[in-house]
Amino acid sequence: MSSYWQVHPYTIIGFLLFSLLIALGNVLFLRRLRATHSLLAQPPFVSILVPARNEALNIERCVRSLLAQSYPSFEVLVLDDHSTDETPAILAEIQNANPQLKILRGEPLPAGWLGKHWACHQLARAAQGELFLFTDADTWHEANALRDSIAALTQERVDLLTLFPHEAVVTWGEKLTVPVLGFAPFSFIPVFLTRWFGVPRFSITIGQFMLFRQSVYEAIGGYEAVRSHPLDDVKFGRRVLSHGFKWLLADGTHHVHCRMYRDFRSSAAGLTRSLFAFFTNNVLLYVFAWTWIGIVFLEPILILILHGLGFQSPFFPAALAWVAVLEAALLFLLIYLRFRFPVYLAFFYPLSVVILVWLAFRSLVSTLRGKAGWKDRSLPTLRS
């Protein structure tokens, strides 16, 4: 056992170095969506599909930004999913001045479906486009977002284009949680390898912007194929690749914006809903992964605190702890810079990691007890 503790600091340093290399590969190979001023001779007709449930704070900015797209051939469909706030009234007011906006009323939720998935399924059934763009009600889009996205999809000959948006963070509850959503996958998953080798498990698909070819959406089973999986976006990317189609993730931080949560309470609820789902019910892997993340990012900080108080670890010298802390800070700084988060937040990474690990185990307990939920609806325990 003593021999392990002697190499333990080097294990942490090596892991952080490996994560830095993965993050660097992802950052370097993630293409930024380019501006284009040319259109195809016959631009494909696009259906922009927005599910909305109690989105009074967001829906107007979202819909107006979509209606203002600098693209000649599209429709905007919004499904009101049994909202109990002012969402229907806001949509009706926008529609009065913009008759091209189509508003659908949600049908009752069938057994075995998640609410948002059922809403998106209904939207897809009503859509007329050659391309389907699924986007969330808490997003807003620059006028060139649709035009540039379709140019990228066409030029790259891909079947699903997904964008990493600019995530707006305002309150400290958001600042300490939301940026970690981008940090975690881009530090531990070599997404850049998916472009070369098409490995489904290395893909990351962002549900805030998924641009499908309609034929491919149907070929992989649409929302019916993922109707009970909380991470529909992740499943879609993997299904596209496993069916032999092409997928591409691009940097859309200058085209699409999103404010996912409004405070710590809402961000904690969102992370509790989704963290365990990413591991598809593999409890042992999940517990090991989050325990290890806590050790890697927090133990060196603890060693330095103890060193400052006059306590010396026989197996973790302060000099090695400083190396690990600098690696961790650089890792956060690299990701936060790339995705346009405030740079100073990278130096609060120990607090963000503490919160994230706590929410990860909260997600595990909530899901196993059948108490995970979202927007007043319960989520199922994953079986596969």
Side-chain angles (χ1 to χ4, degrees):
M1 181 62 72
S2 62
S3 60
Y4 167 75
W5 288 111
Q6 289 173 346
V7 301
H8 176 68
Y10 299 99
T11 303
I12 290 178
I13 290 171
F15 179 84
L16 287 169
L17 178 60
F18 185 64
S19 297
L20 268 170
L21 292 175
I22 291 175
L24 187 61
N26 286 332
V27 164
L28 291 176
F29 288 96
L30 180 67
R31 296 189 180 186
R32 180 165 291 162
L33 194 64
R34 300 172 183 171
T36 180
H37 301 286
S38 60
L39 291 171
L40 296 174
Q42 294 184 323
F45 186 65
V46 184
S47 294
I48 305 177
L49 310 175
V50 185
R53 178 175 171 84
N54 295 333
E55 294 285 357
L57 292 175
N58 303 309
I59 195 65
E60 182 170 4
R61 178 166 58 176
C62 174
V63 172
R64 290 193 184 281
S65 73
L66 293 172
L67 290 169
Q69 290 299 299
S70 59
Y71 184 80
S73 184
F74 68 95
E75 61 177 356
V76 178
L77 284 72
V78 181
L79 183 136
D80 172 36
D81 187 14
H82 305 279
S83 296
T84 57
D85 63 3
E86 296 301 311
T87 298
I90 295 170
L91 286 171
E93 183 178 351
I94 298 173
Q95 190 182 46
N96 287 337
N98 300 273
Q100 69 269 38
L101 171 63
K102 300 178 183 179
I103 302 174
L104 283 66
R105 305 300 175 191
E107 300 173 9
L109 180 64
W113 282 80
L114 294 181
K116 178 187 173 183
H117 301 15
W118 175 239
C120 290
H121 179 68
Q122 295 172 76
L123 285 163
R125 289 191 309 189
Q128 302 296 315
E130 299 173 52
L131 303 176
F132 287 175
L133 170 58
F134 291 98
T135 191
D136 289 347
D138 55 8
T139 62
W140 64 100
H141 305 244
E142 299 296 332
N144 60 338
L146 185 60
R147 180 192 66 207
D148 293 349
S149 299
I150 291 171
L153 179 135
T154 303
Q155 292 166 6
E156 298 291 336
R157 298 180 180 178
V158 297
D159 303 296
L160 168 58
L161 173 70
T162 184
L163 299 183
F164 198 105
H166 170 238
E167 300 285 359
V169 290
V170 179
T171 67
W172 273 100
E174 301 164 77
K175 290 177 179 179
L176 293 175
T177 54
V178 172
V180 185
L181 295 177
F183 162 80
F186 274 84
S187 300
F188 306 133
I189 302 174
V191 184
F192 62 92
L193 294 180
T194 305
R195 180 170 177 81
W196 297 334
F197 303 111
V199 183
R201 286 199 170 273
F202 289 167
S203 67
I204 296 175
T205 302
I206 312 296
Q208 294 150 344
F209 194 102
M210 299 188 295
L211 181 62
F212 282 95
R213 296 187 190 274
Q214 182 271 342
S215 58
V216 171
Y217 170 83
E218 298 292 345
I220 64 172
Y223 264 95
E224 190 167 6
V226 298
R227 59 186 177 273
S228 63
H229 199 290
L231 297 182
D232 53 309
D233 46 6
V234 173
K235 291 291 285 185
F236 270 138
R238 293 176 179 178
R239 288 183 67 81
V240 163
L241 288 163
S242 63
H243 280 71
F245 299 111
K246 293 190 67 176
W247 160 99
L248 179 64
L249 171 66
D251 176 359
T253 54
H254 293 275
H255 287 76
V256 182
H257 313 274
C258 179
R259 188 177 178 191
M260 297 175 65
Y261 307 116
R262 296 277 166 172
D263 49 30
F264 179 74
R265 182 178 180 180
S266 59
S267 63
L271 288 169
T272 299
R273 169 183 66 96
S274 60
L275 285 175
F276 185 50
F278 191 82
F279 285 75
T280 58
N281 234 14
N282 191 326
V283 176
L284 291 178
L285 176 61
Y286 187 82
V287 170
F288 171 79
W290 286 108
T291 301
W292 179 242
I293 287 172
I295 291 171
V296 165
F297 289 99
L298 300 178
E299 184 184 355
I301 294 284
L302 180 60
I303 293 295
L304 292 179
I305 292 173
L306 292 174
H307 179 74
L309 295 174
F311 297 97
Q312 304 290 333
S313 169
F315 300 117
F316 208 139
L320 295 181
W322 272 116
V323 172
V325 168
L326 291 174
E327 284 182 318
L330 181 59
L331 183 57
F332 274 84
L333 187 63
L334 178 66
I335 298 296
Y336 283 18
L337 277 172
R338 185 65 175 84
F339 295 113
R340 300 178 60 204
F341 290 114
V343 173
Y344 66 86
L345 291 179
F347 299 100
F348 287 86
Y349 83 83
L351 183 54
S352 290
V353 171
V354 168
I355 293 172
L356 187 65
V357 171
W358 168 64
L359 290 175
F361 283 97
R362 182 179 184 229
S363 177
L364 171 64
V365 173
S366 296
T367 305
L368 294 181
R369 294 176 64 189
K371 293 188 176 182
W374 188 244
K375 295 204 173 183
D376 303 319
R377 288 168 171 164
S378 61
L379 300 177
T381 300
L382 294 182
R383 298 173 184 272
S384 64

